[in-house]
Amino acid sequence: PGGSTVASVTPLEGRSVSREPPRDVRGFRSPPDATNFSFEATGFPIPSYVWGFWIFSNAQIYANTAASGIPVRTIAMPPHFAAAVGGATSPSNDAVGPKSGPAPGSDDSDEVIDTCVACCEYSNDWAAHALAFFSERFRVPLPLKKLDFLPLPSLNGLGMENCASITTLEEYFLVGQDTSPRRRRRIARLICHEVSHQWYGNLVTPRSFDDLWIKEGMARFLEFVALEAGAEVGLEFFNSWGHFLSAVYAEAMAADARPSHHAVIQEKHTDLSSILASFDVITYGKGASLLRMLATTIGMDTFWEGLHVYTVEFQGACASCKDLFRCMQSCIDPNSQFARATEGARTPVLDLMAPWLTQAGFPVLGVEVEAGAMRFSQRPFVVSAAGGSGAFDDGGGDAPPQQPQLWPVPLRVKHGGARLREDMFVMQGKTQVIGTGPVALGDDWRLVVNEGHSGFFVTLYDEPSWLALLRSVRSGLMTDLEVAGLALDFFFVASFARQLTAHGAQKLAALPPALYAGAHRSLERLQQLWGVVQEAPADGIAWDHARAYVKSVLVALDKIDAAESTL
């Protein structure tokens, strides 16, 4: 109809009143006042699944903001906005807007329109930031003339990265005066996620669904990078990486510890059911966690440069994960720590990542300290279904013998007394030993193993290394993320020990003695960690989050009461 607002991939080029009489088209009768809308040509190839057009009745365009030369707009219908903002029924910790607000009025009601404009400003600010941030980091401009956000009353999912016309659920776009921080954070994440897809998914598309993780894992990782950067330009601070660890990373690890887990890369071919099933926490969360591990290992600047090379080479085309890793490899400085740690390997980035992507599960890393040396060992972490076998596993239990799973584990280990030393290496085999010097057993020796808790593995420590970790917390050497990561390690190990205990003594007998002891020590060490972090001098929102996370783990394991502390 002539009063409609129409959006598509490109801006509207023109409109004209139809001169044709009303007619039936596939069961629909065209209105007598029909208008023909025409749009500009894209001028660049796009995947067919992100093309479309949307027709709104009596819509308004809100919060027109320019970013990187591309206008960012919101197109929506005021009555829907008024109903969503004024009649929120979500729980109080996830409210979408004020509990009372303007009642749905006429489409051109000034009160309704003013309210809707205010509700869109928060999300449009994040959209403008995400577009500017990714444009600067990727150094590949999007060939778009506008970027629209289309909040809809219903949608299959929270959002969809349609090219230049991103759709979202209304309640995951509107922000009112009573919208909770938790919901605002989820809205900001969603916007950054969908904007990043304009490059990874739209401009460069996975060659097949086997590589779905590239676009979804990449977007999940990059949404947190953009979220963290938002605070630097005056947007809301959310302690992004603390949230990533406790939500995305932990959720992915929990899913990957189950017997029903699967590899990140799966062969989908044309099986629609398996394609749809692959949109899961392994693809998104583990994919994102592994990309974060890679970025930490090779350096974030190198990671950005690799993404730039990848995008330039494959824009307007399809690519695979091998293409991505080849582009990353081309940006590695031959004098970097990673290059020295992988000296002699022909394709070190691909060699590092392939086992993590093609094998289900993750390793548990053992750390043992002796005078002058530190020994690392790895074995798969497996949690069995109730009643089944389970262990920190070497393919044992009731399953037939098989080659033990191994992962190339990237480690950047800080250790020492008053003077710290850093060793960066990729553990390729089942064990690896590094020298520490005689200071390792001294009273001032400190240790950090999993830097930023970016490695996708669980770590078990012997007594000397554990005492060194506590000294690192007290001295401020260990970051808030690393402290929260310690609690997460202990949670997985302690939960596993409880499950084995519930299954009887024969299950416990399957564990090597050192690992069995380590599992049951985890509860005691969690309580020790809780005491130390409460007394640690570090403060700020991030540290408050770390303390709260350690406490939440103890509550989950029934070791302290939820009201035991003031946090």
Side-chain angles (χ1 to χ4, degrees):
S4 301
T5 300
V6 180
S8 190
V9 171
T10 56
L12 186 67
E13 188 173 53
R15 70 178 70 197
S16 61
V17 177
S18 175
R19 301 300 181 186
E20 298 181 8
R23 59 194 178 94
D24 291 325
V25 179
R26 295 185 179 179
F28 294 93
R29 186 165 181 79
S30 62
D33 61 342
T35 300
N36 296 325
F37 292 89
S38 59
F39 297 88
E40 297 179 15
T42 59
F44 60 95
I46 62 171
S48 59
Y49 73 91
V50 293
W51 178 88
F53 61 88
W54 295 262
I55 304 171
F56 296 85
S57 175
N58 301 311
Q60 298 287 334
I61 298 178
Y62 305 108
N64 193 337
T65 307
S68 302
I70 300 175
V72 179
R73 311 180 304 174
T74 299
I75 302 175
M77 296 172 285
H80 283 278
F81 270 43
V85 175
T89 57
S90 300
S92 60
N93 68 338
D94 245 356
V96 298
K99 295 181 178 63
S100 61
S106 62
D107 295 350
D108 58 354
S109 163
D110 289 341
E111 183 180 12
V112 169
I113 291 175
D114 289 345
T115 300
C116 295
V117 170
C119 288
C120 291
E121 286 177 346
Y122 183 88
S123 296
N124 263 78
D125 286 346
W126 274 102
H129 156 68
L131 185 56
F133 175 75
F134 290 131
S135 296
E136 177 186 352
R137 289 297 185 177
F138 300 147
R139 293 182 290 123
V140 179
L142 286 175
L144 306 179
K145 294 187 177 180
K146 55 86 178 178
L147 180 61
D148 291 338
F149 280 81
L150 314 174
L152 304 176
S154 62
L155 188 67
N156 185 19
L158 299 185
M160 178 63 197
E161 67 270 19
N162 307 294
C163 185
S165 297
I166 295 172
T167 52
T168 70
L169 271 176
E170 283 180 348
E171 60 262 41
Y172 281 88
F173 193 87
L174 307 181
V175 174
Q177 61 184 4
D178 291 340
T179 304
S180 70
R182 177 181 174 184
R183 176 56 64 95
R184 293 198 305 270
R185 180 180 65 197
R186 191 64 188 89
I187 288 171
R189 281 181 52 193
L190 175 64
I191 290 168
C192 293
H193 182 103
E194 303 303 345
V195 171
S196 76
H197 270 318
Q198 301 301 304
W199 281 268
Y200 300 109
N202 297 3
L203 195 59
V204 182
T205 306
R207 195 176 302 279
S208 74
F209 278 99
D210 296 4
D211 287 319
L212 175 67
W213 76 276
I214 296 180
K215 83 180 191 75
E216 296 302 348
M218 184 74 75
R220 179 66 84 235
F221 172 52
L222 293 178
E223 76 188 54
F224 283 88
V225 178
L227 200 67
E228 183 79 1
E232 299 172 8
V233 294
L235 296 176
E236 192 168 5
F237 174 73
F238 288 118
N239 186 31
S240 307
W241 294 114
H243 176 49
F244 180 92
L245 186 70
S246 60
V248 176
Y249 178 103
E251 184 181 23
M253 188 165 274
D256 206 26
R258 299 187 184 109
S260 59
H261 62 184
H262 60 78
V264 175
I265 294 178
Q266 305 175 81
E267 291 187 359
K268 312 294 188 315
H269 302 298
T270 58
D271 182 355
L272 180 60
S273 62
S274 68
I275 290 173
L276 295 175
S278 66
F279 284 83
D280 65 3
V281 68
I282 297 290
T283 297
Y284 283 73
K286 186 177 180 181
S289 298
L290 294 181
L291 287 168
R292 178 172 174 256
M293 182 176 75
L294 174 63
T296 302
T297 301
I298 66 176
M300 197 65 202
D301 289 343
T302 302
F303 187 83
W304 284 123
E305 187 64 26
L307 289 182
H308 169 72
V309 172
Y310 175 69
T311 310
V312 168
E313 181 173 345
F314 293 100
Q315 60 182 316
C318 296
S320 69
C321 66
K322 289 184 178 180
D323 297 318
L324 173 64
F325 298 147
R326 175 176 54 78
C327 292
M328 290 285 176
Q329 186 61 53
S330 70
C331 300
I332 300 293
D333 182 345
N335 296 316
S336 66
Q337 284 185 312
F338 177 73
R340 292 196 297 270
T342 57
E343 188 175 3
R346 293 181 58 190
T347 55
V349 174
L350 177 62
D351 294 345
L352 170 68
M353 296 300 293
W356 292 94
L357 295 166
T358 57
Q359 295 185 120
F362 56 89
V364 56
L365 193 72
V367 181
E368 299 173 275
V369 178
E370 301 172 353
M374 189 163 18
R375 182 179 183 272
F376 299 89
S377 59
Q378 65 161 301
R379 62 182 66 226
F381 186 103
V382 177
V383 175
S384 298
S389 65
F392 298 91
D393 196 81
D394 277 321
D398 299 328
Q402 56 183 325
Q403 185 70 23
Q405 283 180 289
L406 293 174
W407 290 262
V409 182
L411 288 168
R412 184 175 276 110
V413 181
K414 295 179 183 177
H415 58 100
R419 296 182 59 184
L420 287 171
R421 164 181 158 186
E422 181 175 291
D423 287 296
M424 194 277 173
F425 58 95
V426 178
M427 180 178 169
Q428 298 287 356
K430 193 170 181 178
T431 62
Q432 185 150 341
V433 177
I434 64 171
T436 63
V439 71
L441 296 178
D443 290 340
D444 64 343
W445 188 67
R446 296 173 294 166
L447 174 67
V448 176
V449 172
N450 192 355
E451 182 185 23
H453 210 79
S454 59
F456 198 74
F457 52 83
V458 167
T459 311
L460 276 177
Y461 301 92
D462 69 357
E463 193 63 19
S465 59
W466 168 239
L467 294 175
L469 287 170
L470 289 179
R471 284 191 287 267
S472 298
V473 177
R474 291 191 182 98
S475 69
L477 175 63
M478 190 168 286
T479 67
D480 57 285
L481 276 181
E482 289 156 352
V483 168
L486 270 179
L488 184 61
D489 282 349
F490 292 147
F491 173 75
F492 276 103
V493 174
S495 298
F496 172 73
R498 294 172 98 190
Q499 179 177 344
L500 285 185
T501 301
H503 290 164
Q506 74 273 18
K507 305 302 178 186
L508 296 176
L511 278 177
L515 292 177
Y516 169 69
H520 283 273
R521 274 199 306 264
S522 294
L523 289 171
E524 176 188 336
R525 287 179 173 177
L526 260 172
Q527 291 171 308
Q528 286 181 287
L529 181 63
W530 173 235
V532 170
V533 297
Q534 287 190 102
E535 299 168 359
D539 56 15
I541 295 175
W543 269 97
D544 288 345
H545 182 277
R547 292 185 178 97
Y549 190 67
V550 175
K551 179 195 171 187
S552 71
V553 170
L554 283 163
V555 170
L557 293 169
D558 302 321
K559 298 308 293 183
I560 62 172
D561 184 82
E564 185 170 311
S565 83
T566 57
L567 279 178

